[in-house]
Amino acid sequence: MVFSFKEIASVTLTLFAIIDILGSIPIIIQIRQREGKIESEKATLVAGLLMVAFLFLGQSILSLFGVDFQSFALAGAIIIFLIGMEMILGVELFKHNPLASTGSIVPLAFPLIVGAGTMTTLLSLRAAYQLPNVLAGVLVNLVFVYLVLKSSAWIERKLGKAGEDILRRVFGVILLAIAIKLFKSNF
């Protein structure tokens, strides 16, 4: 096991760009408002478990269910598209059950933090870099994800209502564009 700072940095930056936790801030705020809180530890732990599991078992899991990666990516694209529509239109498509606090898991941990893009990237990174370096890059990203989730209330206060509304709509359009790109590249 040889740790390489260069490989860890490459993996970290690649995953950081794909996960785009900063771009997810409007969604995080929306979930926090709907749920009353974000369970930062739970969301980070579930996201980490999903990434590590997919890193080791991703190809096998999809094969087991007879699902090709394009179908998996399209399913993720539909969820991302619907979340984007919620953000732009200000409607609630994913019904909230106040007794089942699942917003920290779906859609936050999956598919926003660990979506089809993250999973595809993990499989590619595993082929290109040493496993310990990929795991270290995953860990660095999870720390950053946790810090952003933990400070979501502070971020919301700093943005204010108008800033939050603008950011939500802008990132809603960006999510729609990402969903359409996923559709185009996997259909």
Side-chain angles (χ1 to χ4, degrees), residues 32 46 61 68 99 123 136 163:
R32 195 179 70 66
V46 169
I61 291 171
D68 59 271
L99 300 176
L123 292 178

Side-chain angles (χ1 to χ4, degrees), residues 67-78 80 116-117 120 179 182-183 185-186:
V67 175
D68 59 271
F69 204 80
Q70 287 76 18
S71 300
F72 184 76
L74 283 172
I78 291 169
I80 291 169
T120 307
L182 278 170
F183 279 123
S185 62
N186 290 290

Side-chain angles (χ1 to χ4, degrees), residues 7-19:
E7 283 195 9
I8 292 170
S10 293
V11 169
T12 299
L13 291 174
T14 302
L15 283 174
F16 182 78
I18 296 297
I19 293 171

